[in-house]
Amino acid sequence: CEEAAMVFVSSQLFTADLNGPRGADQLCADLAAEAGLGGYWMSWTSDECTSPQKRFHRSEIEYRLINGDQIAADWSDLIDGELDRDIRVDENGVNLTTRCVIPGENDFCFVWTNTTYEGYTHFNDGCLGLTTDQSGFAPVQSGQWIRTQPGWTQWQTKDCGQDLQAIYCFEQPESNK
């Protein structure tokens, strides 16, 4: 029962049209509520106007997965380029495997972020800030939940019309609406 900011990767997969970071925040809040977690939740997503650097509380306590495993000692540790462990536990406490069930991409577990490991917006504001799943727009930066170095959030750019991916959700001490 140690105090910690909880973190999970979504059990559900989504298109790139998340309705922007605020829409993704709502998805996190809904998933957390359905899992009985309570609290306030924000997605690790960015657009040209906002990012985790701008809107997240800079926690001085540990970031922990739902199962209790620490991923970072505090905000500074979270954004230093290497997590203590990967974010492979979903909102229900299920420890996911190293393989995703995405046709054609079974070796990778991608997450929509549009965010650098330091918590800033990725340079290209991909998929119109995560508001479209139509191909033809700038691709979006995606991470992989099997990684602990910068690749956890900035592994590869993905086409807006390609794939279903998860999102990361971070508990916040209060609502930031």
Side-chain angles (χ1 to χ4, degrees), residues 12-126:
Q12 295 182 23
L13 303 177
F14 305 96
T15 68
D17 185 0
L18 298 172
N19 239 358
R22 295 295 185 189
D25 292 349
Q26 187 60 54
L27 294 171
C28 285
D30 293 346
L31 291 168
E34 290 171 17
L37 298 176
Y40 299 103
W41 295 85
M42 289 185 172
S43 61
W44 183 266
T45 56
S46 299
D47 65 15
E48 67 182 351
C49 297
T50 193
S51 67
Q53 263 300 342
K54 290 183 178 179
R55 59 198 181 96
F56 272 37
H57 172 75
R58 285 162 176 71
S59 181
E60 295 180 9
I61 59 177
E62 297 170 319
Y63 288 92
R64 291 189 171 275
L65 299 175
I66 299 303
N67 69 359
D69 291 352
Q70 178 179 304
I71 64 160
D74 56 22
W75 175 259
S76 295
D77 191 31
L78 179 67
I79 62 168
D80 72 358
E82 185 163 5
L83 301 178
D84 295 343
R85 72 152 288 174
D86 53 41
I87 304 175
R88 73 172 63 209
V89 177
D90 73 15
E91 70 274 12
N92 300 303
V94 175
N95 191 345
L96 305 175
T97 65
T98 58
R99 302 196 120 188
C100 289
V101 184
I102 301 175
E105 302 233 0
N106 289 330
D107 293 329
F108 304 103
C109 303
F110 287 103
V111 181
W112 301 113
T113 68
N114 205 38
T115 307
T116 67
Y117 72 86
E118 300 100 335
Y120 292 104
T121 303
H122 188 257
F123 73 90
N124 72 0
D125 195 34

